[in-house]
Amino acid sequence: MSITAEEAGRLSQTQSTTASALRLGNRLGMSNLWFAFVALLLGLPMGLYQVAERSGYFPWLESSHVYFASTSTHGVLMAYVLTTFFMMGYGYHSMAHSLKIKTWSPLFSWAGFYLAVFGTALAAVMLLTGKASVMYTFYPPEMADPLFYIGAVLLVVGSWFWCIDMIAGMTQWKKQNPGKPVPLVMFGTTINALLWMWTSAGVAIEALFQLIPVSLGLKETLDPGMARTLFSWTLHAIVYVWLIPAYIAMYTLVPKLAGGKLFSDEFARIAFVMLFIFSVPIGFHHLYMDPQQAAGWKLLHMLGTFMVAVPTFLTGFTVLASLEIASRLRGGKGIFGWMLGLDWKEPMVVAGMLAMFMLTFGGFGGLINASYSLNAMIHNTQWVTGHFHLIFGGTTVIMYLAVAYWIWPKITGRQLHSKAMAVWQLWLWFIGMLVLTLPWHYIGLLWYPRRVSSTPYEHVGVVAQWGIYELMMVVGGIILVVSGVMFIYNLIRTHTNKIAEPDMTVSYAEAIHPPLKVPNILNSLSFWNWAMAAYMLISYGYPLLQFFFIGTHGAVPFGI
Amino acid sequence: MHVDPLEKKWLYVVGGIVAFTIAVQVYYAAAKGIHPPSNVQTIDSAKLHLSKEFAENNLGVHKNTDGSLDVTMVAARYGFYPQEIEVPIDTPVRLRIASLDVLHGLLVPYSNLNLMVVPGYISEANTTFTKLGEFPMICNEYCGIGHDYMYARVRVVPKNN
Ligand code: HEM
Ligand SMILES: [Cu+2]
Ligand SMILES: [Cu+2]
């Protein structure tokens, strides 16, 4: 068989467009990921400072001004900067390598990145100078410098560029490959992009119509009840936006690097779709204790809150089943004994198992938070912060770290500096998280309030019970800082590693039953987008509309 | 669509867990009237002193004819007013509180009192104190640099004192 010169030309042309798509994906990926992990590195010591400062054991550290500036900065770095840039970097890489196409305009993708960087820098200056000590949740009528809100909005707008890139990429690929299922990694990524647009709309409306005009003095008052309602629209779904990249790695990388196959591709898609549809219209579980929404609406949102646990149960099942298959292929035996047969030298496997473990604990705590009635026991206590450090700092971030260990050699072409160190680092992260968060939950049950820099209450009986647990938390914090430094060190040394990475191919886990065709509803987002619009109208329509006729009185802004 | 038999069993288990948890909560809400504080009542926070209910002389503990108590309070940076309340044990208490300035929260250890105080709205909660002693009423929502120092005292005393 011979090919004509024309065919050969076309072939080499597709090869070079593929190569340039991969190059762009790698560059966008690396820039975004480095930015994310620098935020993590800077945020970690702030966390340690916070637990130490408020413990009372280090009087020379104590300053409420520094504490609240630190907590606001730590919260913004971890919750907005690390997560947004990680999602973008991982997403650009996944799109290039799974679809093998370029973003529709490289200039546009870079513009989004730099806009987000600029917004972050603006917000950071305000935070570090103490002009934005309002916490990452904003909560007016306390007001920060307008530049803080403008910076935060630019970060979000920059990330919308990424969302458009992902959605456009998937649409283009589907046109070129009619009837074929979108690769799972891209299906999850695009769902997350669409979810982020829905999610961020709530806080964007709050910023544009309330926070920015009032902080600039263009408007005299705002309604804090409405602000809290709009923020709740964002506040729950955003945690799923952070979590979905971790789930994507669990579905598409963990089974592969464990040496096995994905148990079910279809159930992974169902889980992503459920995460999408049930995570936004349920934000009122953050308002259970608020006066501005009626009980019936809170109950309605509670139903959806429990539904969103379902995809997590599905994920746990599929990922553990995939790991079990991998272990049995390697000779693992027994009902639980197969866990020992896993490849515990592979960072992705270690992270996957530890993430599942923390998810089991954290998920249990989550059911309590979600409860219409039990919530009163823990609302705004340290239980809540303990909970989200376990499930966000623990489950979610440990997967981010494992993704980095996998992606760095693929992008740089250099072998990971030390796999053994990576495994140690992940274990330390896990241990640090447990030592930090278990006592943290407990002092919450003992009524330690959230967001205080000291506990000067004269009621010794209540206060004295907290001390020893706070000391344990300091130990947990130290372990986590050490672990974080090891992580960054390993990445930096990888860039200068002399040994080339032997396996540069990027491929994702295959399903046991590879989907030749999936129902259109699991291959397209437009139906779900409409479903979301309807569900949002039901759960947020009246609750937001009511503010225009129940006779609200605006609140004037206050400084910090 | 391919469903593994084990997967199917798991789906039933998950469905069962979710249905049970929801059923318990809906039951307690509907049959026992257990709801979070949700009275949706507005007030002008800048003019609390002009309102009858939250004027300074009307704050504090009021006894109703049926023996239950109404407690009226104001939250303002950085304190709850009155700064000290005394209530008998095992007596139904209805707390109504409004903010003069920014967001605050309120929790009392050894009780189930936990709620948000949002400027522009009146928060209301019902409780019964079941433990004797003095407890802090702690602000649990960040309200500014002095937030740590925002607390009041709740003294729970024997019944016919
Ligand atoms: C060395 C490890 C860490 C320590 C010791 C630590 C400690 C703390 C402390 C003491 C607070 C204040 C909690 C409060 O009273 O409300 C806090 C808040 C927070 N932390 Fe961490 N943290 C650590 C790592 C992380 C990580 C890895 C993440 C997530 C990636 C994270 C995300 C957050 C967020 C989102 C807040 C919320 C701030 C707020 O309430 O406004 N932290 N952390
Ligand atoms: Cu939530
Ligand atoms: Cu406060």
Side-chain angles (χ1 to χ4, degrees):
Chain A
M1 204 174 89
S2 67
I3 55 169
T4 63
E6 196 188 328
E7 275 167 337
R10 213 176 317 129
L11 202 66
S12 81
Q13 201 187 347
T14 29
Q15 266 164 3
S16 78
T17 34
T18 304
S20 87
L22 298 186
R23 222 170 19 246
L24 178 67
N26 284 348
R27 289 216 182 111
L28 283 165
M30 189 49 92
S31 308
N32 277 288
L33 290 174
W34 256 125
F35 203 83
F37 291 129
V38 167
L40 175 68
L41 183 72
L42 297 178
L44 277 177
M46 297 181 186
L48 175 58
Y49 157 78
Q50 287 151 213
V51 276
E53 195 270 358
R54 68 182 188 188
S55 71
Y57 290 102
F58 310 94
W60 46 275
L61 274 182
E62 285 175 29
S63 154
S64 53
H65 283 272
V66 179
Y67 182 91
F68 290 121
S70 173
T71 312
S72 302
T73 312
H74 173 83
V76 168
L77 282 176
M78 298 304 200
Y80 296 151
V81 184
L82 163 67
T83 49
T84 308
F85 283 91
F86 181 84
M87 159 179 96
M88 297 196 289
Y90 185 29
Y92 277 128
H93 185 267
S94 302
M95 172 171 156
H97 289 268
S98 67
L99 306 187
K100 312 253 189 306
I101 54 177
K102 259 192 185 172
T103 59
W104 66 276
S105 151
L107 194 68
F108 178 82
S109 312
W110 285 111
F113 170 70
Y114 284 111
L115 196 60
V117 168
F118 177 70
T120 306
L122 208 57
V125 172
M126 294 300 118
L127 284 162
L128 293 173
T129 49
K131 288 185 191 147
S133 298
V134 293
M135 304 290 154
Y136 86 111
T137 45
F138 307 152
Y139 290 161
E142 244 170 67
M143 280 287 149
D145 193 288
L147 287 179
F148 171 63
Y149 302 119
I150 293 171
V153 166
L154 292 181
L155 167 60
V156 172
V157 172
S159 71
W160 287 346
F161 284 49
W162 172 82
C163 297
I164 292 170
D165 277 344
M166 294 301 111
I167 295 166
M170 174 167 148
T171 315
Q172 186 194 337
W173 188 89
K174 278 182 59 178
K175 252 192 222 131
Q176 293 166 352
N177 299 272
K180 279 204 211 158
V182 180
L184 181 60
V185 64
M186 197 55 201
F187 186 72
T189 303
T190 313
I191 277 219
N192 205 25
L194 192 61
L195 175 59
W196 177 232
M197 294 186 104
W198 274 102
T199 302
S200 51
V203 71
I205 297 171
E206 182 193 356
L208 292 179
F209 292 97
Q210 298 191 294
L211 300 176
I212 294 179
V214 172
S215 64
L216 285 172
L218 301 175
K219 249 180 83 181
E220 271 166 30
T221 63
L222 53 73
D223 177 359
M226 184 193 243
R228 282 178 68 76
T229 306
L230 283 169
F231 199 77
S232 83
W233 162 340
T234 297
L235 190 53
H236 188 75
I238 197 172
V239 308
Y240 283 95
V241 173
W242 306 336
L243 187 59
I244 285 178
Y247 280 5
I248 292 175
M250 287 186 190
Y251 282 121
T252 65
L253 296 174
V254 169
K256 164 123 198 144
L257 292 160
K261 292 198 166 189
L262 175 62
F263 188 75
S264 170
D265 178 279
E266 281 133 329
F267 270 90
R269 286 171 205 262
I270 292 175
F272 284 133
V273 164
M274 288 188 78
L275 286 170
F276 176 74
I277 201 75
F278 284 116
S279 60
V280 197
I282 62 167
F284 279 19
H285 61 247
H286 292 264
L287 304 181
Y288 281 151
M289 299 300 139
D290 275 43
Q292 77 278 4
Q293 295 296 349
W297 293 106
K298 295 177 181 176
L299 198 65
L300 176 74
H301 282 235
M302 193 258 306
L303 302 181
T305 302
F306 279 97
M307 285 308 293
V308 81
V310 172
T312 287
F313 277 118
L314 291 182
T315 302
F317 179 88
T318 308
V319 174
L320 284 175
S322 309
L323 280 166
E324 182 177 342
I325 292 168
S327 165
R328 296 208 189 280
L329 287 173
R330 295 163 46 90
K333 292 202 168 39
I335 296 187
F336 295 107
W338 61 266
M339 293 188 187
L340 297 175
L342 285 168
D343 182 2
W344 288 96
K345 293 204 169 77
E346 166 54 49
M348 188 64 71
V349 173
V350 174
M353 284 298 284
L354 298 179
M356 277 292 146
F357 191 80
M358 292 187 277
L359 186 62
T360 311
F361 269 101
F364 174 74
L367 292 182
I368 298 194
N369 306 344
S371 294
Y372 189 67
S373 37
L374 289 177
N375 182 269
M377 194 165 77
I378 46 85
H379 173 77
N380 266 4
T381 67
Q382 292 290 338
W383 165 283
V384 176
T385 41
H387 166 75
F388 72 66
H389 277 78
L390 180 58
I391 211 152
F392 171 33
T395 303
T396 306
V397 172
I398 208 171
M399 292 309 298
Y400 288 9
L401 305 180
V403 167
Y405 287 136
W406 170 79
I407 241 175
W408 243 252
K410 306 278 184 208
I411 295 184
T412 61
R414 309 280 97 202
Q415 199 169 47
L416 190 64
H417 166 65
S418 166
K419 230 177 175 177
M421 190 201 260
V423 168
W424 272 102
Q425 185 271 322
L426 293 170
W427 274 103
L428 279 181
W429 192 265
F430 169 73
I431 293 167
M433 267 301 158
L434 290 190
V435 175
L436 176 69
T437 58
L438 294 182
W440 206 339
H441 279 81
Y442 189 62
I443 56 172
L445 290 179
L446 297 174
W447 308 284
Y448 195 132
R450 189 173 173 184
R451 292 174 166 172
V452 287
S453 72
S454 63
T455 49
Y457 326 117
E458 67 216 26
H459 304 84
V460 183
V462 176
V463 177
Q465 341 176 43
W466 299 332
I468 179 75
Y469 300 104
E470 294 192 79
L471 213 51
M472 288 165 69
M473 290 173 62
V474 175
V475 175
I478 293 172
I479 300 175
L480 283 164
V481 171
V482 170
S483 172
V485 171
M486 282 166 72
F487 168 72
I488 296 290
Y489 175 79
N490 213 341
L491 294 190
I492 292 177
R493 291 294 302 266
T494 299
H495 281 279
T496 57
N497 198 345
K498 298 243 158 33
I499 310 170
E501 166 68 19
D503 177 14
M504 289 285 291
T505 51
V506 173
S507 55
Y508 302 96
E510 275 172 38
I512 297 179
H513 305 278
L516 300 174
K517 229 177 126 56
V518 289
N520 194 36
I521 208 159
L522 294 180
N523 202 36
S524 150
L525 300 180
S526 46
F527 171 79
W528 297 109
N529 203 35
W530 283 109
M532 173 76 94
Y535 194 175
M536 280 301 281
L537 198 65
I538 294 170
S539 44
Y540 273 93
Y542 179 85
L544 278 173
L545 210 59
Q546 66 161 0
F547 293 112
F548 295 98
F549 57 77
I550 56 173
T552 57
H553 305 267
V556 292
F558 283 80
I560 312 152
Chain B
M1 183 89 212
H2 178 273
V3 185
D4 189 87
L6 195 61
E7 210 160 30
K8 204 172 203 168
K9 278 187 205 149
W10 180 242
L11 285 180
Y12 285 122
V13 172
V14 171
I17 295 175
V18 170
F20 175 76
T21 330
I22 291 179
V24 170
Q25 315 239 2
V26 172
Y27 169 77
Y28 277 98
K32 310 263 161 148
I34 294 184
H35 296 284
S38 321
N39 56 314
V40 198
Q41 205 179 341
T42 62
I43 189 165
D44 191 348
S45 276
K47 300 200 180 104
L48 285 188
H49 57 290
L50 300 180
S51 76
K52 219 170 124 198
E53 185 175 5
F54 295 96
E56 204 168 340
N57 334 344
N58 293 337
L59 300 181
V61 183
H62 312 282
K63 200 165 180 157
N64 296 323
T65 44
D66 63 356
S68 71
L69 302 174
D70 275 348
V71 177
T72 314
M73 296 182 89
V74 164
R77 283 176 168 189
Y78 293 106
F80 294 102
Y81 305 95
Q83 291 187 297
E84 204 172 304
I85 57 167
E86 190 175 288
V87 289
I89 193 169
D90 296 330
T91 309
V93 173
R94 184 176 72 147
L95 170 70
R96 280 168 66 80
I97 183 166
S99 167
L100 190 69
D101 41 40
V102 295
L103 281 174
H104 299 283
L106 167 170
L107 77 79
V108 180
Y110 300 99
S111 82
N112 62 0
L113 260 191
N114 194 338
L115 53 78
M116 298 296 305
V117 190
V118 180
Y121 299 84
I122 300 170
S123 301
E124 181 180 312
N126 294 293
T127 192
T128 301
F129 293 95
T130 55
K131 192 172 157 72
L132 290 174
E134 192 189 293
F135 308 101
M137 172 183 278
I138 301 173
C139 177
N140 65 353
E141 183 56 83
Y142 175 67
C143 55
I145 293 299
H147 169 54
D148 305 358
Y149 294 90
M150 180 157 171
Y151 66 99
R153 297 170 200 87
V154 179
R155 238 197 330 274
V156 183
V157 296
K159 234 180 173 170
N160 29 21
N161 199 351

